Amino acid sequence: MARQPRIVGIGGTQRPNSSTELLVRAVLDICEKHGAHVQLFGGEELSALPHFDPYSKERTEAENEFVEAVRQADGIVIGSPSYHGGVSGLTKNALDLLEDLRSDERPYFDGRPVGLLVTAAGWQAGGVTLAALRGIVHAMRGWPTPIGVAINTIEQKPFGPDGALIDEQLHAQIDAMAQQLAIGCIGLSQRH
Ligand SMILES: Cc1cc2nc3c(=O)[nH]c(=O)nc-3n(C[C@H](O)[C@H](O)[C@H](O)COP(=O)(O)O)c2cc1C
Protein backbone atom coordinates (compact mmCIF):
# COMPACT_ATOMS: atom_id res chain seq x y z
CA MET A 1 0.00 0.00 0.00
CA ALA A 2 1.16 3.56 -0.53
CA ARG A 3 0.63 4.35 3.12
CA GLN A 4 1.22 2.32 6.23
CA PRO A 5 -1.86 0.14 6.87
CA ARG A 6 -3.76 1.07 10.02
CA ILE A 7 -5.18 -1.71 12.16
CA VAL A 8 -7.52 -0.88 15.03
CA GLY A 9 -8.09 -3.38 17.86
CA ILE A 10 -11.29 -3.31 19.90
CA GLY A 11 -11.69 -5.56 22.90
CA GLY A 12 -11.13 -6.23 26.55
CA THR A 13 -12.92 -6.40 29.85
CA GLN A 14 -12.55 -4.38 33.07
CA ARG A 15 -10.55 -7.28 34.55
CA PRO A 16 -6.79 -6.61 34.90
CA ASN A 17 -4.96 -8.97 32.51
CA SER A 18 -8.15 -9.53 30.54
CA SER A 19 -7.54 -12.53 28.31
CA THR A 20 -9.73 -10.91 25.65
CA GLU A 21 -7.51 -7.84 25.56
CA LEU A 22 -4.35 -9.96 25.53
CA LEU A 23 -5.65 -11.86 22.50
CA VAL A 24 -6.43 -8.66 20.61
CA ARG A 25 -2.96 -7.34 21.56
CA ALA A 26 -1.36 -10.53 20.25
CA VAL A 27 -2.86 -9.96 16.78
CA LEU A 28 -1.90 -6.27 16.83
CA ASP A 29 1.68 -7.12 17.86
CA ILE A 30 2.13 -9.32 14.78
CA CYS A 31 0.56 -6.69 12.52
CA GLU A 32 2.92 -4.08 13.98
CA LYS A 33 5.96 -6.32 13.41
CA HIS A 34 4.92 -6.48 9.76
CA GLY A 35 4.84 -2.69 9.50
CA ALA A 36 1.25 -1.74 10.33
CA HIS A 37 0.29 1.21 12.50
CA VAL A 38 -1.81 -0.25 15.31
CA GLN A 39 -4.13 1.24 17.92
CA LEU A 40 -5.86 -0.63 20.72
CA PHE A 41 -9.12 0.26 22.42
CA GLY A 42 -8.93 -2.14 25.35
CA GLY A 43 -11.00 -2.62 28.48
CA GLU A 44 -10.07 0.77 29.96
CA GLU A 45 -10.87 2.73 26.80
CA LEU A 46 -14.11 0.83 26.15
CA SER A 47 -15.19 1.41 29.77
CA ALA A 48 -14.74 5.16 29.25
CA LEU A 49 -17.38 5.21 26.51
CA PRO A 50 -20.82 6.27 27.77
CA HIS A 51 -23.92 4.28 26.90
CA PHE A 52 -24.44 4.96 23.22
CA ASP A 53 -27.42 7.21 22.55
CA PRO A 54 -28.39 7.21 18.85
CA TYR A 55 -30.80 10.10 19.47
CA SER A 56 -28.18 12.50 20.81
CA LYS A 57 -25.58 14.35 18.74
CA GLU A 58 -23.39 15.02 21.76
CA ARG A 59 -20.24 12.96 21.87
CA THR A 60 -17.37 12.84 24.37
CA GLU A 61 -13.75 13.20 23.31
CA ALA A 62 -13.28 9.46 23.91
CA GLU A 63 -16.24 8.64 21.66
CA ASN A 64 -14.95 10.89 18.87
CA GLU A 65 -11.45 9.42 19.11
CA PHE A 66 -12.82 5.88 18.83
CA VAL A 67 -15.09 6.63 15.87
CA GLU A 68 -12.32 8.50 14.04
CA ALA A 69 -9.83 5.68 14.55
CA VAL A 70 -12.22 3.13 13.02
CA ARG A 71 -13.04 5.55 10.19
CA GLN A 72 -9.32 5.67 9.29
CA ALA A 73 -8.69 1.94 9.78
CA ASP A 74 -7.75 -0.40 6.94
CA GLY A 75 -8.39 -3.46 9.09
CA ILE A 76 -10.08 -4.13 12.42
CA VAL A 77 -9.65 -6.74 15.15
CA ILE A 78 -12.55 -7.30 17.55
CA GLY A 79 -12.37 -9.39 20.71
CA SER A 80 -15.21 -10.13 23.09
CA PRO A 81 -15.68 -12.33 26.10
CA SER A 82 -18.77 -14.48 25.95
CA TYR A 83 -21.19 -13.19 28.57
CA HIS A 84 -24.33 -15.27 28.98
CA GLY A 85 -23.78 -16.84 25.60
CA GLY A 86 -23.29 -13.60 23.67
CA VAL A 87 -21.18 -10.53 22.97
CA SER A 88 -20.46 -8.50 26.14
CA GLY A 89 -22.29 -5.22 26.64
CA LEU A 90 -18.99 -3.30 26.76
CA THR A 91 -18.05 -4.57 23.30
CA LYS A 92 -21.51 -4.10 21.84
CA ASN A 93 -21.76 -0.56 23.21
CA ALA A 94 -18.58 0.37 21.31
CA LEU A 95 -19.83 -1.31 18.12
CA ASP A 96 -23.19 0.45 18.37
CA LEU A 97 -21.38 3.80 18.62
CA LEU A 98 -20.03 3.11 15.12
CA GLU A 99 -23.53 4.01 13.92
CA ASP A 100 -21.83 7.42 13.66
CA LEU A 101 -20.10 6.05 10.52
CA ARG A 102 -23.43 5.29 8.87
CA SER A 103 -23.38 8.21 6.42
CA ASP A 104 -19.68 7.96 5.56
CA GLU A 105 -18.62 7.28 1.99
CA ARG A 106 -17.29 4.03 3.45
CA PRO A 107 -19.92 3.21 6.10
CA TYR A 108 -19.16 1.17 9.24
CA PHE A 109 -16.50 -1.48 8.35
CA ASP A 110 -17.35 -1.31 4.65
CA GLY A 111 -15.08 -3.51 2.54
CA ARG A 112 -12.49 -3.98 5.27
CA PRO A 113 -11.15 -7.18 6.83
CA VAL A 114 -12.21 -7.81 10.43
CA GLY A 115 -10.52 -10.43 12.62
CA LEU A 116 -12.73 -11.88 15.36
CA LEU A 117 -11.66 -13.32 18.72
CA VAL A 118 -13.73 -14.71 21.60
CA THR A 119 -12.87 -15.86 25.11
CA ALA A 120 -15.28 -17.98 27.13
CA ALA A 121 -15.30 -20.34 30.08
CA GLY A 122 -16.61 -23.10 27.81
CA TRP A 123 -16.56 -24.23 24.18
CA GLN A 124 -20.27 -23.79 23.46
CA ALA A 125 -20.40 -20.10 24.43
CA GLY A 126 -17.20 -19.43 22.49
CA GLY A 127 -18.70 -20.88 19.31
CA VAL A 128 -22.05 -19.12 19.48
CA THR A 129 -20.46 -15.79 20.40
CA LEU A 130 -18.02 -16.02 17.50
CA ALA A 131 -20.98 -16.71 15.17
CA ALA A 132 -22.83 -13.72 16.67
CA LEU A 133 -19.82 -11.46 16.10
CA ARG A 134 -19.65 -12.60 12.47
CA GLY A 135 -23.32 -11.66 12.08
CA ILE A 136 -22.66 -8.22 13.55
CA VAL A 137 -19.70 -7.63 11.23
CA HIS A 138 -21.75 -8.71 8.20
CA ALA A 139 -24.48 -6.26 9.25
CA MET A 140 -21.81 -3.57 9.44
CA ARG A 141 -20.55 -4.41 5.93
CA GLY A 142 -17.20 -5.80 7.09
CA TRP A 143 -15.46 -8.90 5.82
CA PRO A 144 -14.73 -11.30 8.67
CA THR A 145 -11.38 -13.01 8.07
CA PRO A 146 -11.75 -16.70 7.22
CA ILE A 147 -10.11 -17.59 10.53
CA GLY A 148 -11.91 -16.70 13.73
CA VAL A 149 -10.53 -17.72 17.12
CA ALA A 150 -12.43 -18.78 20.24
CA ILE A 151 -10.53 -19.88 23.35
CA ASN A 152 -11.71 -21.67 26.46
CA THR A 153 -10.16 -19.83 29.42
CA ILE A 154 -10.80 -22.77 31.75
CA GLU A 155 -9.03 -25.37 29.62
CA GLN A 156 -6.42 -23.16 27.96
CA LYS A 157 -3.78 -21.02 29.68
CA PRO A 158 -2.12 -19.49 26.63
CA PHE A 159 -0.47 -16.43 28.24
CA GLY A 160 2.73 -16.19 30.27
CA PRO A 161 3.01 -14.05 33.45
CA ASP A 162 4.00 -11.03 31.34
CA GLY A 163 0.89 -11.43 29.16
CA ALA A 164 2.83 -12.80 26.17
CA LEU A 165 1.18 -15.52 24.09
CA ILE A 166 3.09 -18.75 24.82
CA ASP A 167 0.74 -21.34 23.28
CA GLU A 168 2.24 -22.35 19.93
CA GLN A 169 -0.98 -23.66 18.38
CA LEU A 170 -2.87 -20.53 19.29
CA HIS A 171 0.04 -18.41 18.08
CA ALA A 172 -0.26 -20.10 14.67
CA GLN A 173 -3.97 -19.21 14.54
CA ILE A 174 -3.30 -15.61 15.58
CA ASP A 175 -0.51 -15.37 13.00
CA ALA A 176 -2.90 -16.66 10.31
CA MET A 177 -5.42 -14.00 11.30
CA ALA A 178 -2.77 -11.25 11.06
CA GLN A 179 -1.80 -12.52 7.60
CA GLN A 180 -5.42 -12.60 6.45
CA LEU A 181 -5.87 -9.04 7.70
CA ALA A 182 -2.80 -8.02 5.69
CA ILE A 183 -4.15 -9.73 2.55
CA GLY A 184 -7.47 -7.92 3.05
CA CYS A 185 -5.65 -4.59 3.37
CA ILE A 186 -3.70 -5.25 0.12
CA GLY A 187 -6.96 -6.08 -1.67
CA LEU A 188 -8.34 -2.80 -0.39
CA SER A 189 -5.42 -0.79 -1.79
CA GLN A 190 -5.94 -2.38 -5.23
CA ARG A 191 -9.55 -1.27 -5.34
CA HIS A 192 -8.56 2.41 -4.97
C1 LIG B 1 -21.22 -11.73 33.43
C2 LIG B 1 -20.47 -12.92 32.89
C3 LIG B 1 -21.14 -13.84 32.12
C4 LIG B 1 -20.46 -14.93 31.58
N1 LIG B 1 -21.14 -15.83 30.82
C5 LIG B 1 -20.48 -16.89 30.30
C6 LIG B 1 -21.18 -17.85 29.51
O1 LIG B 1 -22.38 -17.76 29.26
N2 LIG B 1 -20.48 -18.90 29.02
C7 LIG B 1 -19.13 -19.05 29.24
O2 LIG B 1 -18.55 -20.02 28.75
N3 LIG B 1 -18.45 -18.14 29.98
C8 LIG B 1 -19.09 -17.08 30.52
N4 LIG B 1 -18.42 -16.17 31.28
C9 LIG B 1 -16.95 -16.32 31.43
C10 LIG B 1 -16.18 -15.38 30.53
O3 LIG B 1 -16.59 -15.51 29.18
C11 LIG B 1 -14.70 -15.70 30.57
O4 LIG B 1 -14.26 -15.66 31.91
C12 LIG B 1 -13.90 -14.73 29.73
O5 LIG B 1 -12.72 -15.36 29.37
C13 LIG B 1 -13.55 -13.46 30.46
O6 LIG B 1 -12.68 -12.65 29.66
P1 LIG B 1 -11.50 -11.77 30.29
O7 LIG B 1 -10.39 -12.71 30.71
O8 LIG B 1 -11.10 -10.91 29.13
O9 LIG B 1 -12.02 -10.98 31.45
C14 LIG B 1 -19.08 -15.09 31.84
C15 LIG B 1 -18.40 -14.15 32.64
C16 LIG B 1 -19.09 -13.08 33.17
C17 LIG B 1 -18.35 -12.07 34.01
Side-chain angles (χ1 to χ4, degrees), residues 70-74 101 104-108 110 112 188 192:
V70 176
R71 176 176 281 133
Q72 300 298 332
D74 300 299
L101 300 177
D104 278 22
E105 193 183 330
R106 197 172 61 159
Y108 310 116
D110 188 52
R112 285 166 288 168
L188 193 70
H192 290 293

Side-chain angles (χ1 to χ4, degrees), residues 12-191:
T13 66
Q14 295 93 334
R15 205 173 66 74
N17 299 319
S18 154
S19 52
T20 312
E21 185 169 323
L22 291 179
L23 265 188
V24 176
R25 266 184 205 280
V27 181
L28 294 184
D29 284 349
I30 297 175
C31 294
E32 194 171 34
K33 274 191 198 129
H34 290 288
H37 172 278
V38 301
Q39 188 172 7
L40 172 69
F41 292 86
E44 194 179 332
E45 290 78 17
L46 299 181
S47 303
L49 299 174
H51 277 162
F52 171 60
D53 178 356
Y55 308 106
S56 167
K57 295 266 176 258
E58 280 176 38
R59 296 286 179 259
T60 64
E61 207 176 303
E63 287 180 304
N64 285 331
E65 190 195 345
F66 176 68
V67 170
E68 194 52 35
V70 176
R71 176 176 281 133
Q72 300 298 332
D74 300 299
I76 298 103
V77 182
I78 302 173
S80 177
S82 178
Y83 280 180
H84 304 139
V87 176
S88 72
L90 200 64
T91 314
K92 191 60 166 56
N93 184 53
L95 297 178
D96 287 346
L97 172 59
L98 298 176
E99 181 64 10
D100 283 7
L101 300 177
R102 178 196 177 104
S103 304
D104 278 22
E105 193 183 330
R106 197 172 61 159
Y108 310 116
F109 302 133
D110 188 52
R112 285 166 288 168
V114 186
L116 299 173
L117 306 156
V118 172
T119 66
W123 294 113
Q124 179 170 290
V128 295
T129 304
L130 187 57
L133 267 180
R134 280 183 186 272
I136 291 167
V137 170
H138 286 150
M140 296 175 75
R141 306 189 195 187
W143 295 23
T145 56
I147 194 163
V149 174
I151 69 163
N152 181 328
T153 53
I154 300 296
E155 294 189 18
Q156 295 173 285
K157 300 292 170 205
F159 302 105
D162 59 352
L165 185 58
I166 52 171
D167 181 308
E168 276 182 32
Q169 260 189 330
L170 186 57
H171 189 276
Q173 290 178 289
I174 294 291
D175 196 48
M177 179 177 286
Q179 282 189 36
Q180 290 171 6
L181 282 165
I183 291 166
C185 289
I186 292 165
L188 193 70
S189 71
Q190 288 174 346
R191 285 202 301 274

